[in-house]
Amino acid sequence: MGLNIKLAERWKLKSDCHQFFLVRLDENGREFVEGYYSSIESCLQALFVKRIRASNAEDIQTLILEIKAFQTALNKALQPLNLEIALVSELNKLNSRK
């Protein structure tokens, strides 16, 4: 049995013995796998990108507030794993190191 963690909004982090996967819940509670990942970090990065792309923000200040609120929700959900999602600027630094 793997991870089955409710993240923020309509998202879950799940895993099996080989991979992590990001699951989106629809309004009826049905689950749809949105992607498969080799690490928790890459799974959460993908979730952040999906969340930002789905934003209806009309200015950068609103987008920043949405990102911070989403980050807070993710950190709360991930607390039992002792994980903390980095700010987007930190995620960008991680991407540039690869």
Side-chain angles (χ1 to χ4, degrees):
M1 184 126 165
L3 294 174
N4 186 10
I5 299 172
K6 173 102 166 103
L7 297 172
E9 299 166 353
R10 294 183 173 171
W11 295 96
K12 282 186 173 183
L13 170 66
K14 290 189 162 191
S15 69
D16 60 22
C17 62
H18 302 288
Q19 63 206 341
F20 299 94
F21 38 104
L22 189 57
V23 176
R24 178 182 50 84
L25 302 170
D26 73 3
E27 50 280 340
N28 297 317
R30 292 178 297 189
E31 297 184 351
F32 299 90
V33 176
E34 292 284 323
Y36 297 92
Y37 306 91
S38 60
S39 69
I40 290 176
E41 292 83 3
S42 61
C43 185
L44 294 175
Q45 285 176 349
L47 176 56
F48 245 93
V49 169
K50 288 176 183 294
R51 179 62 182 86
I52 290 168
R53 287 183 179 157
S55 173
N56 292 323
E58 295 184 5
D59 57 59
I60 194 69
Q61 290 82 10
T62 304
L63 181 60
I64 289 169
L65 290 174
E66 286 182 16
I67 290 169
K68 287 182 178 181
F70 195 62
Q71 177 184 4
T72 299
L74 282 178
N75 285 338
K76 183 177 178 181
L78 296 171
Q79 189 176 12
L81 294 176
N82 287 331
L83 292 175
E84 189 169 302
I85 192 73
L87 290 171
V88 172
S89 60
E90 294 300 315
L91 292 174
N92 289 336
K93 286 180 193 175
L94 290 173
N95 285 335
S96 67
R97 292 183 197 160
K98 292 180 182 178

